[in-house]
Structures are given as structure tokens and as C-alpha cells.
């Protein structure tokens, strides 16, 4: 479904000037999808991003995707007249986004922020503007390695696999967009702009599946040692079918009983021990996995998935790029739109991440040609913006109240972001239907839950009771945002869906995210975030080039990514409500479409040249040579790897100098990017031999010293001691009552107008029920006691009970 013409968008009336080049380009596009006018400024020769892979029929599909919907202006910022026009443009803009903190010459983002006090200026750089790694260069493969994504993917007998395409950069952009929206909302109140220092690496690390808290919990429990990749892992395994593969997840006792019935109720599987996941895990390799593959052998991936879903078992088909582009569910949702990205070149492009009140919000026009809109933009810039002297830093979202019905990671991560930046976030749950992440470790407070629900209050209430439902409707009247990612239709069934809550408060901004979306052929399917990796194409692409079976990753993507998109959608709606462009509304994000969007450049390339997109393992179309290379061992920390990527001829010559192999730089067999890509195996052998005896950090330092993208592969243990993360205050220790100290991932950006985020312990279930019922909802003590006695309101039991 293409973006709907005429649909009101919350950020209409705001103008964004976009100087990004490759790094961060999706960020202003997301602001454009949400309604802002985005003006891409590039030199008259064109942005280097127009030559960034993947390229098909002469078109960069990365540029086409991340710049769709923008206006295009060509300016030579070294020319005095053009530079004056650029400043004039900034006088009439609200946001400036750049990949380089130096705009031109001695003009920096700090200079621009001082000259234009109304402007929100965001510098999106690989590692931020401060810290030991400030100024380093990356490819997406390097960002994946240092951001904590690569070490989880692949199998232990082979090299780790970086995320495919522009995945890491684009996922990081969701956090950058959130930061800009916080600054814009704050500006609505203060009138002042500010400078955001965004580290794409920290933005990506923030989405890396609770790596830090889970690792610190393991260490505290006496479980130490290196982290190893395990393919898809024991929770989300992949199985072969007649025509491909499916991802099957059997976690709960109910799912196991249905699976056992499907297998024919064999006597040897009746042991009650197998009702538990650990019990089944013990016999998975020898007994269960062969049984599953035998059961699926004569069925198509669609048949297996449909039969499993009918039984309440979580299963989804693993699709290659072509089947991701063309399947019944995505077709029924209008997940892709056809767009002419160059004369005569039609690509299937993801139609957009967001829907508002049932209408798709996405790009309406292709990426602009160079200078396409110069005349139109400068003909009438409209009224100039004005700013004030910046006040003391403050939490941007103070005064907002959020009802958080999140489950797992998606909703609770969105709520966490609001809480960290000052909103009163109330986590709503009941012991009759726990948030499963709260109890996954066997108690009501595990490390993942503690991370995602920090800085919130907690209300225990059972909405199945009329009195419980009424409490929630009364709370909605005093709230600004509602977040939910429960099963499709569950909120409506309880009488607390959008129609109910907006009836109580017409200005409410609600964001909902379901596995397959709230509509479409598979809307009723059950699953967990990682279930969507399979039909979205990333399970197939994030794999080795020379194997048939998908290698798999233990990442629970897209949960944390969708959490950030959800937060952006909700806050954009609140901004629109404040500005009068929307009254409120229901934002929806289908998790399966977030997967599609994260590899949208590759899927678009496949649509232009069918059969051209395949799994590439450690390689990518962005670098030649480039990949993951084993390094010298370091104590007992397991295997060590470094990511290196040569973007162009200059990088190649510089790398040859580092290797001490100037002969390779002069060798005609490797003169061009295409020749080096074709000779990947022999060049990998040369680089690998050189790296094998050297330290991964020394290798990265040597490469970066001559401008070659490189970075050590970091695991959770590495992140905890990395000096750059320490310098950037990314490591956040919190003493969680009843659970001990955890280290959490910190902010992805620093802002001149905001203090460090609020970081308080997560609440126990119902910890604040009494004060919320009394102080916000006006119930007296006797009524509250009666509600607790009836099990309608739930509280935290006294210690020891």
C-alpha cells in the first residue's frame, strides 16, 4: 500500500535540512515519512551516496530508498553565494542533520548551532564527536562488528557474519530520530534549539538484545567465559521442509502439547519432564529435531507454517529475497510499492514503517535528482524561524504520561525511552497474564525486564474485571501516550482498544505493534519478534554464501528496533497534537515490515535484477576486499576477529601499505573494485594471514590511522571494558533491589539541552498501584483495599512472601 495522498501527517510544517552522506541517511527520511519537509543538500557533482552499493542498472538502491520522498537542492558550500543561500535555508528550517561535524572549512555543527539558536542540529557520526574512537570511519560491516551484532551470527566452526546490507546503519537511525524528536518536542516548550551528538555505534549497541545486563547477570551468577555464536540458537531453530526452511518456536507447555499431538503422541515423549523447555532441550538434537524434519519433509514452508499456526504453535516460513518480495501476506498489506527510481527503472520499495489511523505513512516520491528542486525551494522559503537563548538543560518529556502495556521487548523498550527522558511511564500488567520477559528467569525481576522497564512506575490491574477496565479508562483521561504490542485484537477484546481509550481521551496518541500487523492474511499469526526475520528475508540473507541452510543469528531483532520506531511514532503524534496538525491518533507498526525495511536496499536491488541478491557471508557489496578476519588469541577470551572493509581504490592502496604489500596495490589484477570483489578468496587469504598473528585492536588502529574502515568484533564482555564506551558514559550501572547490580546500555546521543537520562531501578509488579489509584485516579483507601482483596488491583507482596 503506497503512502496515502492527502493524509495528515504529524510533523507537517516542519522543515529538515539533510546533509547526510551514507551514514544516517534514513534518519531524515523517517522524519519525512512522519510529515516533515526534508531537503537533501548535496554538491553540484552529486552526493557520494549516489554511488553506494547496491547498484543496479546504474542506480544506487541504498540512496534511492533512504532519500525517497525528499526534495533535492544542489549547493557548493565552498562558494560564497551558495553558502549564503545555505544559511538562508537554515534560517527557515527546524532541523539540520549531517554525517560530518565539519560542515565546510572551519564551519562546524557547533558554529551552526550558535548562529541559528532555533535549530535542532544533529551530527550522526560513526562513534560520536568525543571519545577514543571519535573520527573513525566505517562500513556497515565494521559498525555491525563494533556495535555488538556480528558476534551473535553464524556458527562456531566458521567465521562470524555481519548483518547484511545497510542494516546496522539504518537500525541505528531509529535512535537518532528519537533524539531529534525529543529535541523538537522540547523546542515547542522552550523555543530553543540544541546540538545532538549522535553515535551510530552506541545507537546500534542500544538495540543489541540486552547484551550488557544479561552478561552481567551471568557473571554475577558465577557463569563466566566467552560468548559463542550458536546459529539460530536453541530457542529459535530452523528446520528443512520440502521446498525450503521454517523457523519453529516451541516454548510453552501448551505449544509442546500441540506439537506432540502433531507428532502422533508417541509414548516415549509423554514424560512430564518434556513439558519444560530445559527437558526438551536435553533431547532436541538426538530426538526432537529429526522428528520435526521427518514431519515437515513432504510439506511446503507455507503448509508447515499454516498447520503449526492453526495449532497455536509459532512457526514462520524462511523466505529468500524473491519470496519476501512476493507472498500472500505482504501483498495483502501493500508492504511494497512500485517506484521509478530512474528513467525506466522500476523498483519494489518498502512502502513505509508507519501507519496512522489505517493510512500508510511513507515516501510519496522517488529520491530527487541532483538539484531537482533548487528553484522551487528558494522561490519561497516561508517565514523565518526564531529562537531564544537556550535555557538550562532539562528533561524534554517532563509532564507527559505514558500507559505502557508492552510485552517482551517492543512495547517496554518504547516506554523505557519515554521514561528516561522525563515522562511518567506506568507499566501496566497482571499476574494472570505476565509480561513474559519479567518472569523468564523464574522470578519477577530478570535482567532483560529490569533494563527495559527502568525509570517507570508499575500498576497491577486486571482489565477482565469491569472495575479494572474503568481504572484504565480513567487513567487514559490523564495520559498522553498508550503503547501496546499484545496479540492482535486482545486490547479490543478487553474493552481497552483504541476506540475505547480515545473515547475516554480523544487526544490520546496510541502506538500498536503486532507481529504481522493488525490486518492482512497472516494478521492472526502468533509469534515473537524473531519469528518475523524468516518471512522478511533476513534469516536467509544473514547467512553464509556457500551453504543452503540459513546459518542463523541469536539476535532477537526486530524487537528493539521496533521499540524505537514505536517511540518515534508516538512522540511524533504528540508533537503533531501540540502543533495542531493531528488531534491524536493510532500509529501502527507491523514488526514483519520493520524487517523488510532493514534490508529494503537489498530487496529493491533484487526487484530490479532478479537473482542478483544472495547471502554473502562475511562479504558485502560495499567493500572489496572486506570481511571478518581471525586475529591473535587474547588470554581465555575466546576467538578474536576484526572487521576490515575497503570502500574504494584509495582504501585499497592504504590497506596494502598497512599490510606491507605495495606490490598488491600495483598489481593490475586488483586494480578495480570489481576485480577485487572477484578475487575475494585470494585477498582474504592474504589479509587473514597478516591478521592471524596480530591483536584485533592494533589492526583496527593501524587501518584507521590511514583512513581504512576497520574495527574489532566486540562481545558483551568487550563492551563492558571498552574505553570508548566508558568515555561516552554508555555503561549505566543500576542497583536493582532484590536482584543485584546490572550494567545497562546507555544513551545513543548526547544533547546540549538535555541532562543525562533518568536511570532508576525497574518497578516490581504493582509496586505503585496504591499511589496511582489514590493520587491519580481518586480512589479512597477503602475502595483500594477492596479492589486489592478482589484481585482487581495487584500490589507487590511484602518481602519474603
Amino acid at each position: 500500500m503506497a503512502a496515502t495522498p492527502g493524509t495528515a501527517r504529524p510533523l507537517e510544517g516542519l522543515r529538515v535540512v539533510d546533509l547526510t552522506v551514507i551514514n544516517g541517511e534514513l534518519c531524515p527520511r523517517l522524519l519525512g515519512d512522519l510529515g516533515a519537509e526534508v531537503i537533501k543538500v548535496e554538491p553540484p557533482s552529486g552526493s557520494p551516496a549516489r554511488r553506494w552499493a547496491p547498484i543496479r542498472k546504474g542506480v544506487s538502491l541504498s540512496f534511492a530508498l533512504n532519500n525517497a520522498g525528499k526534495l533535492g537542492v544542489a549547493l557548493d558550500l565552498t562558494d560564497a553565494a551558495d553558502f549564503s543561500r545555505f544559511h538562508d535555508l537554515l534560517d527557515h528550517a527546524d532541523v539540520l542533520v549531517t554525517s560530518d561535524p565539519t560542515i565546510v572549512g572551519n564551519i562546524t555543527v557547533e558554529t551552526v548551532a550558535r548562529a541559528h539558536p532555533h535549530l535542532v542540529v544533529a551530527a550522526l557520526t560513526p562513534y560520536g564527536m568525543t571519545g577514543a574512537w571519535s573520527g573513525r570511519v566505517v562500513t556497515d560491516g565494521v559498525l555491525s562488528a563494533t556495535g555488538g551484532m556480528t558476534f551473535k551470527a553464524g556458527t562456531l566452526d566458521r567465521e562470524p557474519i555481519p548483518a547484511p546490507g545497510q542494516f546496522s546503519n539504518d537500525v541505528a537511525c531509529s535512535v537518532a530520530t528519537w533524539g531529534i524528536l525529543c529535541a523538537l518536542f522540547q523546542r515547542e516548550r522552550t523555543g530553543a534549539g540544541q546540538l545532538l551528538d549522535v553515535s551510530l555505534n552506541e545507537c546500534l549497541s542500544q538495540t543489541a538484545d540486552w547484551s550488557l545486563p544479561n552478561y552481567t547477570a551471568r557473571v554475577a551468577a558465577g557463569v563466566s567465559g566467552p560468548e559463542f555464536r550458536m546459529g539460530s540458537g536453541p530457542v529459535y531453530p530452523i528446520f528443512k521442509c520440502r521446498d525450503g526452511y521454517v523457523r519453529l518456536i516451541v516454548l510453552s507447555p501448551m505449544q509442546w502439547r500441540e506439537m506432540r499431538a502433531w507428532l502422533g503422541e508417541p509414548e516415549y515423549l509423554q514424560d512430564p519432564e518434556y513439558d519444560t523447555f530445559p527437558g526438551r532441550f536435553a533431547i532436541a538434537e538426538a530426538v526432537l529435531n529429526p522428528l520435526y524434519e521427518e514431519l515437515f519433509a513432504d510439506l511446503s514452508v507455507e503448509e508447515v507454517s499454516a498447520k503449526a499456526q492453526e495449532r497455536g504453535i509459532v512457526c514462520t516460513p524462511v523466505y529468500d529475497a524473491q519470496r519476501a518480495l512476493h507472498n500472500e501476506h505482504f501483498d495483502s498489506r501493500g508492504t511494497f510499492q512500485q517506484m521509478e527510481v530512474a528513467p525506466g527503472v522500476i523498483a519494489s520499495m518498502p512502502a513505509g514503517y508507519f501507519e496512522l489511523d489505517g493510512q500508510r505513512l511513507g515516501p510519496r516520491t522517488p529520491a530527487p535528482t541532483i538539484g531537482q528542486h533548487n528553484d522551487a525551494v528558494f522561490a519561497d522559503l516561508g517565514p523565518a524561524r526564531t529562537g531564544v537563548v537556550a535555557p538550562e538543560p532539562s528533561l524534554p518529556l517532563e509532564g507527559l504520561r505514558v500507559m505502557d502495556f508492552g510485552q517482551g521487548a517492543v512495547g517496554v523498550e518504547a516506554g523505557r525511552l519515554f521514561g528516561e527522558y522525563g515522562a511518567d511511564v506506568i507499566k501496566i500488567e497482571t499476574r494472570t497474564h505476565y509480561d513474559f520477559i519479567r518472569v523468564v528467569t523464574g522470578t519477577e525481576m530478570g535482567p532483560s525486564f529490569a533494563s527495559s522497564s527502568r525509570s517507570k512506575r508499575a500498576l497491577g490491574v486486571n482489565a477482565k474485571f469491569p472495575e479494572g477496565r474503568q481504572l484504565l479508562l480513567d487513567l487514559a483521561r490523564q495520559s498522553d501516550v498508550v503503547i501496546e504490542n499484545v496479540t492482535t485484537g486482545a486490547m479490543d477484546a478487553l474493552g481497552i482498544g483504541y476506540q475505547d481509550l480515545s473515547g475516554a481521551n480523544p487526544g490520546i496518541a496510541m502506538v500498536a505493534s503486532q507481529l504481522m500487523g493488525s490486518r492482512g492474511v497472516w494478521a492472526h499469526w502468533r509469534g515473537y519478534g524473531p519469528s518475523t526475520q524468516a518471512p522478511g528475508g533476513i534469516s536467509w540473507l544473514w547467512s553464509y554464501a556457500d551453504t543452503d541452510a540459513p546459518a542463523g543469528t541469536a539476535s532477537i531483532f526486530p524487537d528493539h528496533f521496533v521499540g524505537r520506531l514505536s517511540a518515534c511514532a508516538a512522540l511524533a503524534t504528540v508533537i503533531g497534537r501540540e502543533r495542531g496538525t493531528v488531534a491524536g491518533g493510532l500509529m501502527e507498526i507491523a514488526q514483519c515490515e520493520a524487517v523488510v525495511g532493514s534490508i529494503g536496499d537489498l530487496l529493491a536491488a533484487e526487484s530490479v535484477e532478479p537473482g542478483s541478491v544472495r547471502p554473502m557471508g562475511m562479504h558485502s557489496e560495499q567493500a572489496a576486499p572486506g570481511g571478518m578476519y581471525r586475529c591473535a588469541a587474547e588470554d581465555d577470551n575466546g576467538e578474536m576477529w576484526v572487521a576490515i572493509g575497503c570502500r574504494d581504490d584509495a582504501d585499497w592502496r592504504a590497506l596494502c601499505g598497512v599490510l606491507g604489500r605495495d606490490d598488491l596495490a600495483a598489481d593490475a589484477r586488483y586494480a578495480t573494485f570489481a576485480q577485487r570483489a572477484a578475487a575475494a578468496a585470494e585477498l582474504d587469504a592474504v589479509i587473514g594471514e597478516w591478521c592471524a598473528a596480530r591483536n584485533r585492536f592494533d589492526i583496527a588502529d593501524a587501518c584507521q590511522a590511514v583512513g581504512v574502515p576497520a574495527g574489532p568484533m566486540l562481545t558483551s564482555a568487550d563492551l563492558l571494558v571498552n574505553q570508548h564506551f566508558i568515555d561516552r558514559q554508555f555503561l549505566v550501572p543500576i542497583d536493582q533491589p532484590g536482584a543485584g547490580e546490572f550494567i545497562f546500555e546507555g544513551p545513543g546521543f548526547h544533547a546540549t539541552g538535555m541532562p543525562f537520562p533518568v536511570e532508576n531501578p525497574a518497578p516490581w509488579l504493582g509496586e505503585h498501584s496504591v499511589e496511582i489509584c489514590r493520587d491519580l485516579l481518586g480512589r479512597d483507601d477503602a475502595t483500594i483495599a477492596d479492589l486489592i482483596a478482589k484481585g482487581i488491583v495487584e500490589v507487590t507482596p511484602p518481602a519474603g512472601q
Side-chain angles (χ1 to χ4, degrees):
M1 180 175 69
T4 308
T7 301
R9 302 189 183 204
L11 300 187
E12 286 178 3
L14 293 173
R15 177 176 288 150
V16 178
V17 177
D18 176 11
L19 287 179
T20 59
V21 179
I22 302 173
N23 291 324
E25 282 193 306
L26 179 63
C27 173
R29 217 252 13 225
L30 291 175
L31 296 171
D33 288 358
L34 292 166
E37 178 189 80
V38 181
I39 300 173
K40 183 76 172 183
V41 177
E42 54 187 324
S45 58
S47 169
R50 292 182 179 272
R51 300 181 291 278
W52 194 240
I55 294 175
R56 301 293 186 273
K57 297 185 177 180
V59 179
S60 164
L61 277 307
S62 172
F63 185 89
L65 178 68
N66 286 335
N67 292 283
K70 301 177 184 178
L71 304 177
V73 165
L75 294 175
D76 178 1
L77 298 186
T78 65
D79 176 81
D82 274 3
F83 188 67
S84 176
R85 297 181 85 192
F86 175 66
H87 267 293
D88 193 25
L89 183 59
L90 296 183
D91 281 337
H92 296 79
D94 303 283
V95 179
L96 171 66
V97 188
T98 179
S99 303
D100 191 336
T102 300
I103 305 300
V104 63
N106 62 355
I107 305 298
T108 66
V109 288
E110 292 94 343
T111 311
V112 170
R114 287 193 297 269
H116 303 275
H118 69 283
L119 199 62
V120 173
V121 180
L124 280 55
T125 61
Y127 297 101
M129 294 166 57
T130 62
W133 288 356
S134 175
R136 290 196 167 195
V137 292
V138 296
T139 59
D140 211 76
V142 171
L143 198 60
S144 178
T146 59
M149 285 290 178
T150 300
F151 84 89
K152 301 177 181 182
T155 55
L156 192 55
D157 60 326
R158 296 197 55 176
E159 69 277 7
I161 313 173
Q166 197 73 358
F167 171 100
S168 296
N169 209 297
D170 287 354
V171 170
C173 283
S174 63
V175 183
T177 305
W178 166 254
I180 291 171
L181 289 169
C182 284
L184 284 171
F185 183 75
Q186 190 172 32
R187 198 189 67 164
E188 289 296 313
R189 297 176 168 185
T190 67
Q194 60 185 293
L195 173 62
L196 303 183
D197 169 15
V198 181
S199 163
L200 294 173
N201 189 62
E202 283 145 46
C203 292
L204 181 65
S205 297
Q206 196 188 85
T207 71
D209 309 334
W210 306 297
S211 292
L212 294 183
N214 284 330
Y215 182 78
T216 54
R218 283 178 53 210
V219 172
V223 181
S224 59
E227 297 169 292
F228 296 114
R229 51 195 179 279
M230 302 178 292
S232 293
V235 180
Y236 307 109
I238 290 174
F239 295 99
K240 187 170 178 57
C241 306
R242 187 187 72 217
D243 62 344
Y245 295 85
V246 294
R247 196 166 203 180
L248 178 73
I249 305 173
V250 181
L251 286 181
S252 70
M254 181 278 293
Q255 291 168 349
W256 164 241
R257 287 191 288 270
E258 287 292 336
M259 192 72 232
R260 190 178 62 199
W262 194 5
L263 290 168
E265 294 289 2
E267 183 63 31
Y268 58 87
L269 294 180
Q270 301 302 316
D271 189 330
E273 177 68 17
Y274 301 148
D275 285 347
T276 69
F277 181 78
R280 294 193 300 276
F281 177 69
I283 62 168
E285 197 70 30
V287 179
L288 294 181
N289 293 356
L291 285 176
Y292 295 158
E293 295 214 334
E294 182 181 359
L295 180 66
F296 302 158
D298 296 327
L299 300 174
S300 71
V301 295
E302 287 86 5
E303 289 170 334
V304 172
S305 299
K307 288 177 181 292
Q309 290 284 345
E310 288 169 6
R311 292 174 174 270
I313 301 168
V314 174
C315 186
T316 48
V318 176
Y319 281 155
D320 62 16
Q322 270 299 312
R323 292 169 90 174
L325 285 165
H326 305 288
N327 62 73
E328 61 176 357
H329 183 63
F330 290 163
D331 289 347
S332 69
R333 284 188 55 80
T335 297
F336 295 94
Q337 61 178 324
Q338 301 302 298
M339 191 170 281
E340 189 172 26
V341 295
V345 181
I346 307 296
S348 294
M349 307 275 275
Y353 292 99
F354 310 109
E355 291 180 290
L356 175 60
D357 295 333
Q359 303 298 317
R360 180 79 68 172
L361 304 184
R364 294 169 175 159
T365 58
T369 57
I370 300 170
Q372 180 179 347
H373 302 101
N374 271 51
D375 292 342
V377 166
F378 287 105
D380 182 13
L381 289 174
R385 276 51 165 178
T386 57
V388 300
V389 176
E392 288 297 309
S394 62
L395 293 167
L397 306 185
E398 282 183 322
L400 292 181
R401 180 167 293 120
V402 177
M403 298 173 68
D404 176 359
F405 291 93
Q407 296 273 312
V410 172
V412 291
E413 279 290 300
R416 166 205 152 185
L417 293 176
F418 274 92
E420 285 185 314
Y421 289 93
D424 177 18
V425 179
I426 299 175
K427 169 70 173 164
I428 299 167
E429 51 191 329
T430 171
R431 290 184 176 87
T432 64
H433 188 77
Y434 276 107
D435 178 352
F436 68 92
I437 289 296
R438 180 186 271 283
V439 295
V440 71
T441 58
T443 72
E444 287 192 359
M445 187 62 69
S448 298
F449 181 88
S451 177
S452 291
S453 285
R454 59 183 119 152
S455 307
K456 301 178 186 179
R457 296 197 290 169
L459 170 64
V461 60
N462 190 337
K464 291 183 178 179
F465 291 91
E467 300 95 329
R469 175 179 178 271
Q470 189 59 52
L471 286 171
L472 294 174
L473 293 176
D474 290 349
L475 184 56
R477 293 187 178 94
Q478 301 184 58
S479 298
D480 301 279
V481 172
V482 176
I483 299 167
E484 69 96 351
N485 64 298
V486 299
T487 304
T488 302
M491 295 284 284
D492 292 327
L494 290 169
I496 50 173
Y498 176 68
Q499 294 304 319
D500 305 291
L501 297 175
S502 63
N505 179 356
I508 203 79
M510 185 167 178
V511 61
S513 178
Q514 276 65 51
L515 190 80
M516 298 293 176
S518 64
R519 57 180 178 79
V521 177
W522 298 344
H524 64 288
W525 279 19
R526 296 174 179 269
Y528 309 94
S531 304
T532 62
Q533 293 177 17
I538 203 166
S539 292
W540 180 75
L541 276 173
W542 201 342
S543 190
Y544 299 112
D546 55 356
T547 60
D548 181 44
T553 173
S555 170
I556 65 166
F557 178 83
D559 280 10
H560 290 73
F561 180 41
V562 178
R564 280 140 188 82
L565 292 174
S566 297
C568 290
L571 184 53
T573 305
V574 173
I575 292 171
R577 188 187 68 192
E578 296 287 311
R579 293 175 57 82
T581 55
V582 295
L586 172 62
M587 281 279 194
E588 294 185 84
I589 302 166
Q591 292 162 32
C592 60
E593 291 181 344
V595 173
V596 164
S598 72
I599 53 171
D601 56 337
L602 296 174
L603 294 178
E606 173 68 13
S607 74
V608 174
E609 292 186 6
S612 65
V613 172
R614 302 280 305 171
M616 296 186 69
M618 71 175 192
H619 299 120
S620 81
E621 295 186 44
Q622 299 173 351
M628 300 299 302
Y629 303 98
R630 190 188 293 271
C631 308
E634 301 169 17
D635 300 323
D636 296 323
N637 293 329
E639 53 181 11
M640 300 296 138
W641 297 82
V642 67
I644 300 174
C646 293
R647 301 160 295 182
D648 50 31
D649 295 347
D651 283 354
W652 167 239
R653 290 190 295 270
L655 178 62
C656 289
V658 172
L659 298 176
R661 294 294 305 274
D662 290 338
D663 59 306
L664 295 177
D667 195 321
R669 294 175 298 168
Y670 311 129
T672 68
F673 188 99
Q675 288 174 307
R676 295 190 294 274
E682 55 197 87
L683 293 179
D684 285 342
V686 172
I687 299 169
E689 181 180 4
W690 183 83
C691 290
R694 291 171 169 81
N695 177 275
R696 55 185 167 146
F697 292 95
D698 293 342
I699 294 168
D701 290 348
C703 290
Q704 289 285 348
V706 294
V708 175
M713 184 184 80
L714 300 182
T715 65
S716 304
D718 294 323
L719 296 177
L720 284 171
V721 297
N722 183 267
Q723 190 59 49
H724 182 72
F725 282 100
I726 294 170
D727 290 345
R728 297 275 302 175
Q729 298 180 283
F730 185 70
L731 309 178
V732 178
I734 291 184
D735 187 3
Q736 180 66 51
E741 184 175 88
F742 298 127
I743 304 295
F744 296 144
E745 291 86 359
F749 59 89
H750 299 170
T752 57
M754 306 177 205
F756 199 81
V758 176
E759 304 290 7
N760 294 324
W764 293 91
L765 198 156
E767 182 176 341
H768 305 96
S769 294
V770 172
E771 69 180 58
I772 291 169
C773 288
R774 182 187 61 234
D775 300 339
L776 280 182
L777 304 180
R779 275 34 172 202
D780 59 36
D781 290 344
T783 300
I784 295 170
D786 184 57
L787 291 170
I788 293 171
K790 291 177 178 177
I792 298 168
V793 169
E794 300 172 24
V795 296
T796 304
Q801 294 188 15

